[in-house]
Structure formats: C-alpha cells, structure tokens
C-alpha cells in the first residue's frame, strides 16, 4: 500500500544514540539554546541533522527487477532523475518517457590548481608546466591517481623532473596497457 503512487520508499531509523541526540526534545518554536551537538540531533539554534540507518527499501517490482536484470532506458521510472557523471562525459536525465544523456561541457582545470596537486604528489619528483598542461583536461576526481601513476613511472625510470616528452611516454604506455 505504501507504493501505490511512489516509485520507491525508504524506511529508516534515526540513530538518536549517536552524539547524545537522544536527550533532544522537540517543540521549541523559538529555537534551541546550546550546547549543540557536533553531527546528530540539534546542531544549531534552528537546525538539526539526523543520522539515519536504512532499514528497508521498498520498490515497485518493475524497477527492482530492472536493477537485478540490467537497466535499460525504458526501465527508468517516469520522473526527473539525476544519475550523475556516468563516464565523466554524460549527465543522465529524462523528461517524459526515455532516459537520455546530455554531453557535458569540458572544463579544464587551471594550471595553478594542477600544479598545487602535483607539488603534493611527491617530495622528490617535480613536473614542468608543459607536462602539467597535458593533464589539464583530467577530471579533478581522477587527478591524484594520474599524478601517482606519473610519479611511479618517474621513480622506476630515475626521472626527477617530468617533462611533456615524459608525459607522452607515460600516455603511450597507458594506451598499450588499455589495448591489452
């Protein structure tokens, strides 16, 4: 009966014993006076955060079967849904009946932000500006992994200053590994 109109319902329990939130009492319309909790319960005069434990996820059979058997565009529920960056290239959403992808604009990081990350990747291996320009298009979430891979290659090959030529070699090696 819960799922008559809903596509999904999530039943949760408030973890009130965390951070001593079990002593909080409701009903103060003029706000709560401190002391406040750090992360659970009343955290400011007019605010609260609730740490929840998911007990059950109820879902219509059509959608749960799609998750188990493999989702296709026709299996998505008929409501606006944000599925994030699937492959760092597409933003998934739908209007009406079918899912569609919208190509994201490519945003390049600034040389200064990549330099900041590169300087912290290793204390001995350094990068030239030309080398860092080759990885400006790498999504920020993958930048530390890319830099660690470059540092590993540099240490294996006794290189202390990575240049654009070294980056080309690293990229060529990576492309060969992907083709295997």
């Amino acid at each position: 009966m819960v799922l008559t109109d809903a596509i999904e319902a999530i039943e949760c329990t408030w973890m009130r014993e965390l951070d001593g939130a079990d002593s909080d009492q409701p009903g103060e319309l003029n706000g709560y006076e401190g002391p406040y909790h750090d992360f659970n319960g009343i955290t400011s005069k007019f605010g609260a955060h609730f740490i929840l434990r998911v007990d059950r996820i109820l879902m219509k059979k059509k959608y749960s079967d799609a998750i188990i058997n493999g989702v296709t565009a026709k299996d998505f529920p008929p409501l606006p849904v944000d599925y994030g960056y699937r492959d760092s290239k597409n933003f998934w959403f739908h209007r009406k009946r079918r899912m569609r992808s919208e190509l994201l604009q490519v945003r390049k990081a600034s040389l200064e932000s990549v330099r900041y990350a590169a300087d912290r990747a290793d204390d001995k291996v350094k990068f030239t500006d030309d080398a860092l320009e080759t990885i400006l298009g790498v999504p920020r979430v993958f930048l530390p992994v890319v830099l660690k891979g470059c540092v590993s290659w540099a240490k294996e090959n006794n290189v202390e200053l990575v240049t654009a030529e070294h980056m080309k070699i690293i990229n060529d090696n990576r492309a060969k590994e992907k083709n295997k």
Side-chain angles (χ1 to χ4, degrees), residues 167-178:
M167 294 299 280
K168 183 171 177 5
I169 294 168
I170 293 168
N171 283 335
D172 289 346
N173 289 344
R174 184 174 173 271
K176 287 176 188 173
E177 287 177 16
K178 281 179 83 175

Side-chain angles (χ1 to χ4, degrees), residues 14-22 37 39-41 51:
W14 176 29
M15 303 300 291
R16 60 182 332 145
E17 64 277 357
L18 297 176
D19 200 19
D22 49 352
H37 299 290
F39 64 89
N40 189 26
I51 306 300

Side-chain angles (χ1 to χ4, degrees), residues 32-67:
Y32 292 87
E33 297 303 321
Y36 302 116
H37 299 290
D38 293 325
F39 64 89
N40 189 26
I42 298 168
T43 54
S44 66
K45 184 171 178 99
F46 292 104
H49 291 92
F50 301 101
I51 306 300
L52 303 176
R53 180 187 67 226
V54 175
D55 296 323
R56 289 196 300 170
I57 299 174
L58 305 171
M59 186 179 290
K60 288 188 176 181
K61 184 165 177 36
K62 172 184 176 181
Y63 303 120
S64 63
D65 287 348
I67 291 171

Side-chain angles (χ1 to χ4, degrees), residues 2 4 19 26 37 49 75 96 99 103 116 121 128 140 142 169:
V2 173
T4 302
D19 200 19
H37 299 290
H49 291 92
D75 294 325
K96 312 266 188 234
M99 284 292 289
L103 194 60
Y116 182 84
T128 65
R140 183 175 298 275
F142 299 120
I169 294 168

